[in-house]
Amino acid sequence: MDAKGLLGQMLNQFVAFADNLVGAILILIIGLILAKIITRVIRKGLQKTGVDKAADKYLNGIDFLSGNNIRIVPSTLVSKIIYYSILLVILVAATDVLQMEAVSSLVQNAINYVPFLVTAFAIMVVGVLLADFLKNVSSATLSSLGIPAAGFIANFIFYFVLLNILMLALEQALINTDFITSNLSIILGGVVLAFAIGYGLASRSIMSNYIAHFYNRNKVNLGDIIEIGGKIGTVKDVDNTTLTIVSEEDGREIIIPLSHLNNEIVEVIERKPHAPSQPPV
């Protein structure tokens, strides 16, 4: 082929590429305009449904999010996801026009990954709500039982559930978590064992009082005059761990751990009839 023919072939290829480039640019411009219009309509529609207010009430109020200055706005988040998804589709169309198969295949893989990413995020949101719910329930239950470490235990439950949900979300996002899961299990097992031993040793006296309360119900009532440990007094108050008597000698209040009911002799000197409004020990 002579130089003139080669030049003509190159010119034809340039013209064809220029046409494809113009077409790709037009697709990008039109796609960007449509993406902005669509996402704006979706964002305003979601705002009118009140989904943002619901998120502020139930989701953003969680200590884990508010403490880390994280605020989730569903209308903005959903519109952004849709916007970038549309951009990816437009980019695939533009690269197809330019016959850039490698780039088009790469972007197509990114588009196929979006549903997995959205599902993983949804799992995380539901997981945070579930973890916070379990935290509040456990905190209220443990506090009602008078357990001193109620807050610590509730927070431990929250982060334990959250970590498991995080592992599930990462797996949904097609991220290999075998290494993280195996090491995390060892760490959590060690933490739980250390906490169980430490808390068990530290709360022996408290648990003995709870057990004494269970086994000594209906034996001592409010208003009874009793003698315990050489002290005589009238039973003024009882709770889950202690017994309060008013000394017959000088009127002082004496607080006695309920575990003493198991270890010492208790003599009921005078028993007052049990009133419905005054529950026994």
Short mmCIF file of all heavy atoms in Angstrom, two decimals, residues 185-221:
data_model
loop_
_atom_site.label_atom_id
_atom_site.label_comp_id
_atom_site.label_asym_id
_atom_site.label_seq_id
_atom_site.Cartn_x
_atom_site.Cartn_y
_atom_site.Cartn_z
N SER A 185 -13.23 -14.65 66.63
CA SER A 185 -13.82 -15.64 67.54
C SER A 185 -12.89 -15.90 68.72
O SER A 185 -13.33 -16.02 69.87
CB SER A 185 -14.10 -16.94 66.79
OG SER A 185 -15.01 -16.73 65.73
N ILE A 186 -11.59 -16.00 68.45
CA ILE A 186 -10.62 -16.22 69.52
C ILE A 186 -10.59 -15.03 70.48
O ILE A 186 -10.60 -15.19 71.71
CB ILE A 186 -9.22 -16.47 68.93
CG1 ILE A 186 -9.22 -17.76 68.10
CG2 ILE A 186 -8.17 -16.56 70.03
CD1 ILE A 186 -7.94 -18.00 67.35
N ILE A 187 -10.58 -13.82 69.92
CA ILE A 187 -10.54 -12.62 70.76
C ILE A 187 -11.79 -12.50 71.62
O ILE A 187 -11.72 -12.25 72.83
CB ILE A 187 -10.36 -11.37 69.88
CG1 ILE A 187 -8.99 -11.40 69.19
CG2 ILE A 187 -10.50 -10.10 70.71
CD1 ILE A 187 -8.80 -10.31 68.16
N LEU A 188 -12.96 -12.70 70.99
CA LEU A 188 -14.22 -12.58 71.74
C LEU A 188 -14.32 -13.67 72.81
O LEU A 188 -14.79 -13.41 73.93
CB LEU A 188 -15.40 -12.68 70.78
CG LEU A 188 -15.67 -11.46 69.90
CD1 LEU A 188 -16.82 -11.73 68.94
CD2 LEU A 188 -15.98 -10.23 70.75
N GLY A 189 -13.86 -14.87 72.47
CA GLY A 189 -13.88 -15.94 73.46
C GLY A 189 -13.03 -15.60 74.67
O GLY A 189 -13.42 -15.84 75.82
N GLY A 190 -11.83 -15.03 74.42
CA GLY A 190 -10.96 -14.64 75.52
C GLY A 190 -11.56 -13.53 76.36
O GLY A 190 -11.48 -13.56 77.60
N VAL A 191 -12.18 -12.55 75.70
CA VAL A 191 -12.80 -11.44 76.42
C VAL A 191 -13.95 -11.93 77.28
O VAL A 191 -14.10 -11.54 78.45
CB VAL A 191 -13.29 -10.36 75.43
CG1 VAL A 191 -14.12 -9.31 76.15
CG2 VAL A 191 -12.10 -9.70 74.75
N VAL A 192 -14.81 -12.78 76.70
CA VAL A 192 -15.95 -13.31 77.45
C VAL A 192 -15.49 -14.13 78.65
O VAL A 192 -16.03 -14.00 79.76
CB VAL A 192 -16.84 -14.17 76.53
CG1 VAL A 192 -17.90 -14.90 77.35
CG2 VAL A 192 -17.50 -13.30 75.48
N LEU A 193 -14.47 -14.97 78.46
CA LEU A 193 -13.96 -15.79 79.55
C LEU A 193 -13.38 -14.92 80.67
O LEU A 193 -13.65 -15.13 81.86
CB LEU A 193 -12.91 -16.76 79.04
CG LEU A 193 -12.26 -17.68 80.08
CD1 LEU A 193 -13.32 -18.56 80.73
CD2 LEU A 193 -11.16 -18.52 79.45
N ALA A 194 -12.57 -13.91 80.27
CA ALA A 194 -11.98 -13.02 81.27
C ALA A 194 -13.05 -12.24 82.02
O ALA A 194 -12.97 -12.08 83.25
CB ALA A 194 -11.00 -12.06 80.59
N PHE A 195 -14.05 -11.77 81.30
CA PHE A 195 -15.12 -11.02 81.95
C PHE A 195 -15.92 -11.91 82.89
O PHE A 195 -16.27 -11.50 84.01
CB PHE A 195 -16.05 -10.41 80.90
CG PHE A 195 -17.26 -9.75 81.49
CD1 PHE A 195 -17.18 -8.50 82.06
CD2 PHE A 195 -18.50 -10.40 81.48
CE1 PHE A 195 -18.29 -7.88 82.61
CE2 PHE A 195 -19.61 -9.80 82.02
CZ PHE A 195 -19.51 -8.54 82.59
N ALA A 196 -16.21 -13.14 82.44
CA ALA A 196 -16.99 -14.05 83.27
C ALA A 196 -16.26 -14.37 84.58
O ALA A 196 -16.87 -14.36 85.66
CB ALA A 196 -17.29 -15.33 82.50
N ILE A 197 -14.96 -14.63 84.48
CA ILE A 197 -14.19 -14.94 85.68
C ILE A 197 -14.09 -13.72 86.59
O ILE A 197 -14.34 -13.80 87.80
CB ILE A 197 -12.79 -15.44 85.30
CG1 ILE A 197 -12.89 -16.77 84.56
CG2 ILE A 197 -11.91 -15.58 86.54
CD1 ILE A 197 -11.57 -17.27 84.03
N GLY A 198 -13.73 -12.56 86.00
CA GLY A 198 -13.58 -11.33 86.80
C GLY A 198 -14.88 -10.89 87.43
O GLY A 198 -14.93 -10.56 88.62
N TYR A 199 -15.95 -10.91 86.63
CA TYR A 199 -17.24 -10.46 87.17
C TYR A 199 -17.77 -11.45 88.21
O TYR A 199 -18.37 -11.05 89.22
CB TYR A 199 -18.25 -10.30 86.04
CG TYR A 199 -19.54 -9.69 86.50
CD1 TYR A 199 -19.63 -8.32 86.75
CD2 TYR A 199 -20.68 -10.47 86.69
CE1 TYR A 199 -20.81 -7.74 87.16
CE2 TYR A 199 -21.86 -9.90 87.12
CZ TYR A 199 -21.93 -8.54 87.35
OH TYR A 199 -23.11 -7.98 87.77
N GLY A 200 -17.51 -12.76 87.96
CA GLY A 200 -17.97 -13.75 88.92
C GLY A 200 -17.29 -13.58 90.27
O GLY A 200 -17.93 -13.66 91.32
N LEU A 201 -15.98 -13.35 90.25
CA LEU A 201 -15.24 -13.15 91.51
C LEU A 201 -15.66 -11.86 92.20
O LEU A 201 -15.76 -11.80 93.43
CB LEU A 201 -13.74 -13.15 91.23
CG LEU A 201 -13.13 -14.49 90.75
CD1 LEU A 201 -11.67 -14.30 90.39
CD2 LEU A 201 -13.29 -15.56 91.82
N ALA A 202 -15.87 -10.80 91.40
CA ALA A 202 -16.20 -9.50 91.98
C ALA A 202 -17.62 -9.44 92.52
O ALA A 202 -17.91 -8.65 93.42
CB ALA A 202 -16.01 -8.40 90.93
N SER A 203 -18.51 -10.28 92.00
CA SER A 203 -19.91 -10.19 92.39
C SER A 203 -20.37 -11.35 93.25
O SER A 203 -21.57 -11.63 93.33
CB SER A 203 -20.79 -10.09 91.13
OG SER A 203 -20.63 -11.24 90.31
N ARG A 204 -19.41 -12.05 93.87
CA ARG A 204 -19.80 -13.20 94.71
C ARG A 204 -20.76 -12.79 95.82
O ARG A 204 -21.77 -13.44 96.07
CB ARG A 204 -18.56 -13.85 95.30
CG ARG A 204 -17.79 -14.72 94.35
CD ARG A 204 -16.63 -15.38 95.06
NE ARG A 204 -15.76 -14.39 95.69
CZ ARG A 204 -14.74 -14.70 96.49
NH1 ARG A 204 -14.51 -15.96 96.79
NH2 ARG A 204 -13.99 -13.74 97.01
N SER A 205 -20.40 -11.69 96.50
CA SER A 205 -21.23 -11.27 97.63
C SER A 205 -22.61 -10.82 97.17
O SER A 205 -23.63 -11.09 97.82
CB SER A 205 -20.54 -10.13 98.39
OG SER A 205 -20.31 -9.02 97.54
N ILE A 206 -22.65 -10.14 96.01
CA ILE A 206 -23.94 -9.67 95.49
C ILE A 206 -24.83 -10.85 95.12
O ILE A 206 -26.02 -10.90 95.45
CB ILE A 206 -23.72 -8.76 94.27
CG1 ILE A 206 -22.95 -7.50 94.69
CG2 ILE A 206 -25.05 -8.37 93.63
CD1 ILE A 206 -22.61 -6.58 93.54
N MET A 207 -24.25 -11.83 94.43
CA MET A 207 -25.04 -12.99 94.02
C MET A 207 -25.49 -13.80 95.24
O MET A 207 -26.60 -14.36 95.23
CB MET A 207 -24.22 -13.87 93.08
CG MET A 207 -23.91 -13.22 91.74
SD MET A 207 -25.38 -12.58 90.91
CE MET A 207 -26.34 -14.08 90.71
N SER A 208 -24.66 -13.86 96.27
CA SER A 208 -25.08 -14.57 97.48
C SER A 208 -26.27 -13.89 98.12
O SER A 208 -27.16 -14.55 98.68
CB SER A 208 -23.91 -14.68 98.47
OG SER A 208 -23.52 -13.39 98.92
N ASN A 209 -26.31 -12.55 98.04
CA ASN A 209 -27.46 -11.81 98.57
C ASN A 209 -28.72 -12.08 97.76
O ASN A 209 -29.82 -12.22 98.31
CB ASN A 209 -27.17 -10.31 98.59
CG ASN A 209 -26.15 -9.93 99.64
OD1 ASN A 209 -26.06 -10.56 100.70
ND2 ASN A 209 -25.35 -8.92 99.37
N TYR A 210 -28.57 -12.15 96.42
CA TYR A 210 -29.72 -12.47 95.57
C TYR A 210 -30.26 -13.87 95.89
O TYR A 210 -31.48 -14.08 95.97
CB TYR A 210 -29.32 -12.40 94.09
CG TYR A 210 -29.37 -11.01 93.51
CD1 TYR A 210 -28.20 -10.34 93.18
CD2 TYR A 210 -30.59 -10.37 93.30
CE1 TYR A 210 -28.24 -9.06 92.66
CE2 TYR A 210 -30.64 -9.10 92.77
CZ TYR A 210 -29.47 -8.44 92.44
OH TYR A 210 -29.50 -7.17 91.93
N ILE A 211 -29.34 -14.82 96.05
CA ILE A 211 -29.76 -16.18 96.36
C ILE A 211 -30.45 -16.24 97.72
O ILE A 211 -31.47 -16.92 97.90
CB ILE A 211 -28.54 -17.12 96.31
CG1 ILE A 211 -27.99 -17.18 94.88
CG2 ILE A 211 -28.93 -18.51 96.80
CD1 ILE A 211 -26.69 -17.95 94.77
N ALA A 212 -29.90 -15.49 98.70
CA ALA A 212 -30.51 -15.45 100.02
C ALA A 212 -31.91 -14.85 99.94
O ALA A 212 -32.84 -15.30 100.64
CB ALA A 212 -29.64 -14.64 100.97
N HIS A 213 -32.09 -13.84 99.12
CA HIS A 213 -33.42 -13.24 98.94
C HIS A 213 -34.39 -14.27 98.39
O HIS A 213 -35.56 -14.33 98.80
CB HIS A 213 -33.31 -12.04 97.99
CG HIS A 213 -34.65 -11.41 97.68
ND1 HIS A 213 -35.41 -11.80 96.61
CD2 HIS A 213 -35.34 -10.42 98.31
CE1 HIS A 213 -36.52 -11.08 96.58
NE2 HIS A 213 -36.50 -10.24 97.60
N PHE A 214 -33.94 -15.10 97.49
CA PHE A 214 -34.82 -16.10 96.88
C PHE A 214 -35.22 -17.17 97.90
O PHE A 214 -36.39 -17.56 97.98
CB PHE A 214 -34.11 -16.73 95.68
CG PHE A 214 -34.90 -17.82 95.03
CD1 PHE A 214 -35.95 -17.52 94.17
CD2 PHE A 214 -34.60 -19.15 95.27
CE1 PHE A 214 -36.68 -18.53 93.56
CE2 PHE A 214 -35.33 -20.16 94.67
CZ PHE A 214 -36.37 -19.86 93.81
N TYR A 215 -34.27 -17.65 98.68
CA TYR A 215 -34.54 -18.77 99.58
C TYR A 215 -35.18 -18.33 100.91
O TYR A 215 -35.67 -19.18 101.66
CB TYR A 215 -33.25 -19.53 99.88
CG TYR A 215 -32.83 -20.42 98.74
CD1 TYR A 215 -31.76 -20.08 97.92
CD2 TYR A 215 -33.52 -21.60 98.47
CE1 TYR A 215 -31.38 -20.90 96.86
CE2 TYR A 215 -33.15 -22.42 97.41
CZ TYR A 215 -32.07 -22.06 96.60
OH TYR A 215 -31.70 -22.87 95.55
N ASN A 216 -35.13 -17.04 101.22
CA ASN A 216 -35.67 -16.58 102.51
C ASN A 216 -36.93 -15.75 102.36
O ASN A 216 -37.31 -15.01 103.27
CB ASN A 216 -34.61 -15.76 103.26
CG ASN A 216 -33.46 -16.62 103.74
OD1 ASN A 216 -33.56 -17.35 104.72
ND2 ASN A 216 -32.34 -16.56 103.02
N ARG A 217 -37.58 -15.86 101.21
CA ARG A 217 -38.84 -15.16 101.03
C ARG A 217 -39.88 -15.66 102.03
O ARG A 217 -39.91 -16.85 102.37
CB ARG A 217 -39.36 -15.35 99.60
CG ARG A 217 -38.57 -14.60 98.56
CD ARG A 217 -39.11 -14.84 97.17
NE ARG A 217 -39.02 -16.25 96.81
CZ ARG A 217 -39.45 -16.76 95.66
NH1 ARG A 217 -40.02 -15.96 94.77
NH2 ARG A 217 -39.33 -18.04 95.41
N ASN A 218 -40.72 -14.74 102.51
CA ASN A 218 -41.83 -15.04 103.43
C ASN A 218 -41.37 -15.41 104.84
O ASN A 218 -42.20 -15.78 105.67
CB ASN A 218 -42.72 -16.16 102.88
CG ASN A 218 -43.28 -15.84 101.52
OD1 ASN A 218 -43.65 -14.71 101.25
ND2 ASN A 218 -43.35 -16.86 100.66
N LYS A 219 -40.08 -15.35 105.09
CA LYS A 219 -39.59 -15.68 106.43
C LYS A 219 -39.53 -14.45 107.34
O LYS A 219 -39.73 -14.56 108.55
CB LYS A 219 -38.22 -16.33 106.35
CG LYS A 219 -38.24 -17.71 105.70
CD LYS A 219 -36.87 -18.35 105.70
CE LYS A 219 -36.93 -19.74 105.07
NZ LYS A 219 -35.59 -20.38 105.04
N VAL A 220 -39.22 -13.28 106.77
CA VAL A 220 -39.16 -12.04 107.53
C VAL A 220 -40.00 -11.00 106.80
O VAL A 220 -39.80 -10.77 105.60
CB VAL A 220 -37.70 -11.54 107.68
CG1 VAL A 220 -37.68 -10.22 108.44
CG2 VAL A 220 -36.86 -12.58 108.38
N ASN A 221 -40.92 -10.35 107.54
CA ASN A 221 -41.80 -9.35 106.94
C ASN A 221 -41.48 -7.95 107.48
O ASN A 221 -40.84 -7.81 108.54
CB ASN A 221 -43.28 -9.66 107.26
CG ASN A 221 -43.70 -11.02 106.73
OD1 ASN A 221 -43.19 -11.48 105.71
ND2 ASN A 221 -44.61 -11.67 107.46
#
